[in-house]
Amino acid sequence: MDWRVFFTIFASVFIAELGDKTQLATMLFAADKEISKWMVFAAASAALIVASAVGVIAGTFLSAYISEKVLAYIAGVGFITIGIWTIYSA
């Protein structure tokens, strides 16, 4: 296993997930005194694993038809579009 790649991916995803709506929703569930914190952790972890699996499967499928460079440009344009929309909506 290439640990450098592992930690690069880990850091990128970890930083991207900090403070997003997923983390805020998880905090709200954890704040409920009637819900087990372990249940919140297990459910949120499972959801992130499944969402990541969908990303890996989609990336694998798309890379068979579209070059990595084009996919990077599409992702970049997507992030910029989301950023502009977020600023516009604020």
Side-chain angles (χ1 to χ4, degrees), residues 2 13 23-24 30 35 65 70 81 83 86 90:
D2 187 344
V13 173
Q23 187 178 34
L24 296 174
I35 298 176
Y65 301 100
V70 172
T81 303
T86 302

Side-chain angles (χ1 to χ4, degrees), residues 4-88:
R4 185 172 180 210
V5 172
F6 176 88
F7 286 116
T8 300
I9 295 168
F10 177 88
S12 298
V13 173
F14 181 78
I15 291 168
E17 290 297 324
L18 283 178
D20 76 343
K21 63 184 179 282
T22 305
Q23 187 178 34
L24 296 174
T26 303
M27 286 191 297
L28 288 174
F29 283 118
D32 188 334
K33 293 181 181 7
E34 296 179 14
I35 298 176
S36 164
K37 305 317 173 223
W38 287 108
M39 181 62 69
V40 173
F41 176 76
S45 297
L48 288 171
I49 288 169
V50 171
S52 296
V54 169
V56 170
I57 292 166
T60 301
F61 175 77
L62 289 173
S63 69
Y65 301 100
I66 303 172
S67 75
E68 183 180 337
K69 188 173 184 174
V70 172
L71 285 173
Y73 283 130
I74 291 170
V77 170
F79 281 122
I80 291 169
T81 303
I82 290 169
I84 291 169
W85 178 74
T86 302
I87 291 170
Y88 179 77

